[in-house]
Amino acid sequence: MNTKMKLSILAFTDSRKPYQNFHSHSQMDIKFCTELEHFFSEALSNDFSGMLLEMKKVMEIPSRERNKIFTLAATKPLMRTRVSKNSAYYVDDPDQFYTDCTLKTKAQLRRHDRINVELPVMISHEDDHVMAEEYKATIVNLSEKGCFIKTAIDLSGNHLVNIRINEIDNKLPICGGIRWSTTPKNGLYGYGIQFMDIKPDQSAQLLDDLIRPGIEKLLKV
């Protein structure tokens, strides 16, 4: 009996044909994307266990969009490939990739508690990494993995957003992926954000100062 879990993988490639053997050998359910916007949409709307990137295709993309790909891939196990004559060659070890994806999937099954907060933050558009032009926003729902923010700024043209939380010691911008949005109400836009690049000390302080106390308060009610 095969007890291996089925792993969901997001691939950015020109064709699925070179990966047929890799797909069957590794027991992976691969979602193939040939168009960049399709890849971004899938990456931000689903919790994939890992990513497969065809490097020639990635490197032919303009640097602005290529940086987004690498940002989205930074939090996932990554398999880099090259294709020649309809055959895929793996830059990374497929067995290690499978192991890493398995561990990632198990971690995704853990519960992430959310709490309601009123946490003022500053945000900037995805290309403004140093936050030279920042705008006010409020985190109204927070977990270790992400948050829900409200702001008067329309971010609909962005896949990513930079967030500065002045209430914590490390005020470096946190890169977040916009996973979903709400219809504007009373002049405010709402965005569900997944933290893509958050430093360990930032995550730890949010957990210790806000998330755990908030959960304990709810349990006492």
Side-chain angles (χ1 to χ4, degrees):
M1 179 178 179
N2 186 359
T3 58
K4 291 183 178 180
M5 67 176 67
K6 197 73 169 179
L7 301 173
S8 61
I9 308 299
L10 180 62
F12 186 50
T13 71
D14 279 324
S15 171
R16 69 175 62 200
K17 186 175 180 180
Y19 301 95
Q20 290 176 343
N21 291 335
F22 179 79
H23 181 275
S24 60
H25 171 71
S26 299
Q27 300 297 311
M28 294 182 178
D29 182 15
I30 303 179
K31 178 74 174 183
F32 288 92
C33 298
T34 59
E35 299 296 330
L36 187 59
E37 282 303 317
H38 184 203
F39 173 82
F40 285 147
S41 176
E42 291 290 340
L44 290 167
S45 60
N46 297 286
D47 285 324
F48 289 94
S49 302
M51 288 189 182
L52 186 154
L53 299 180
E54 193 172 297
M55 294 311 296
K56 183 175 184 294
K57 183 175 180 66
V58 170
M59 297 310 294
E60 289 175 346
I61 293 172
S63 60
R64 177 180 183 271
E65 304 303 309
R66 187 167 64 240
N67 289 337
K68 293 184 194 177
I69 293 176
F70 290 141
T71 296
L72 292 172
T75 60
K76 307 286 186 183
L78 178 62
M79 169 60 71
R80 297 166 297 167
T81 71
R82 294 189 176 93
V83 173
S84 177
K85 298 180 180 179
N86 286 324
S87 295
Y89 299 89
Y90 308 114
V91 177
D92 302 294
D93 181 355
D95 291 331
Q96 185 61 52
F97 179 62
Y98 180 86
T99 298
D100 293 342
C101 289
T102 301
L103 295 174
K104 187 71 174 180
T105 298
K106 290 179 179 178
Q108 288 170 348
L109 296 176
R110 297 170 187 162
R111 183 167 175 256
H112 289 270
D113 293 294
R114 288 186 170 273
I115 62 161
N116 294 327
V117 295
E118 286 289 332
L119 183 62
V121 298
M122 304 302 293
I123 60 172
S124 69
H125 292 286
E126 59 188 12
D127 293 326
D128 186 5
H129 305 294
V130 298
M131 302 190 69
E133 188 174 0
E134 56 186 12
Y135 307 93
K136 292 181 179 179
T138 302
I139 294 178
V140 297
N141 191 281
L142 177 68
S143 76
E144 288 183 72
K145 290 185 66 176
C147 64
F148 179 70
I149 66 172
K150 289 186 176 181
T151 178
I153 303 303
D154 183 2
L155 297 171
S156 58
N158 295 254
H159 295 104
L160 306 173
V161 65
N162 302 293
I163 305 171
R164 188 194 310 280
I165 306 177
N166 291 320
E167 299 296 320
I168 60 178
D169 297 332
N170 186 343
K171 296 175 177 55
L172 286 174
I174 297 168
C175 178
I178 300 176
R179 301 199 62 173
W180 52 277
S181 61
T182 61
T183 303
K185 185 177 181 181
N186 297 326
L188 293 177
Y189 299 84
Y191 298 97
I193 306 295
Q194 178 184 352
F195 294 141
M196 309 302 300
D197 182 16
I198 183 170
K199 305 305 180 188
D201 60 326
Q202 293 174 320
S203 180
Q205 188 171 2
L206 289 175
L207 181 63
D208 291 341
D209 293 357
L210 293 171
I211 298 172
R212 281 177 179 157
I215 293 171
E216 291 173 358
K217 185 177 179 179
L218 287 174
L219 292 175
K220 293 178 180 179
V221 175

